[in-house]
Amino acid sequence: MRKLSNFINYFFTGMGFGAIAYLIILTFAFPGVPTSSLGVISVFIISGLIGILSMIFAMDIPLAMAFSVHLLGTLLLVLIMIWINKWPINFWLIGVFVLVYIVVWLIVILSQTQTVKEINSSIKKRNSKK
């Protein structure tokens, strides 16, 4: 049951990042372009799968290998989403992919850093009371 819970958590986290990225790209890069049902559904599903792919970082493999697999897997899933939606593939789109990938990683790193600081602070408070 724990594995299913992890899959669901990773899936929905991926959906959140993907939906935000999709809306930001549509708003600033393609203002006025309407969304489609297929576009929204494919973003949710592919983003969720990218979230599940992120579980690779919880495995006991070298970080460089996990990062490489995640980057290539994410690129492949994004290309599948582009193909499903019949969006054009060009250098600009690849640049957007790279930018979004970097921004999402920065957000994840900052979030984890903040969480670690909060945990360490709680531990220090608990230990100082002893």
Side-chain angles (χ1 to χ4, degrees), residues 29-84:
F30 302 105
V33 173
T35 60
S36 68
S37 298
L38 180 62
V40 171
I41 291 168
S42 67
V43 166
F44 281 156
I45 292 171
I46 297 295
S47 297
L49 293 175
I50 292 169
I52 290 172
L53 181 60
S54 299
M55 293 177 78
I56 194 167
F57 293 104
M59 296 177 157
D60 191 25
I61 61 174
L63 184 59
M65 180 183 280
F67 183 76
S68 298
V69 168
H70 186 266
L71 176 62
L72 292 174
T74 300
L75 180 60
L76 178 64
L77 287 167
V78 168
L79 290 173
I80 290 170
M81 180 176 59
I82 290 168
W83 176 75
I84 288 170

Side-chain angles (χ1 to χ4, degrees), residues 72 107 116:
L72 292 174
I107 292 168
V116 168

Side-chain angles (χ1 to χ4, degrees), residues 6 11 35 69 93 109 124 128:
N6 278 346
F11 187 86
T35 60
V69 168
L93 189 64
I109 290 168
K124 284 180 184 178
S128 67

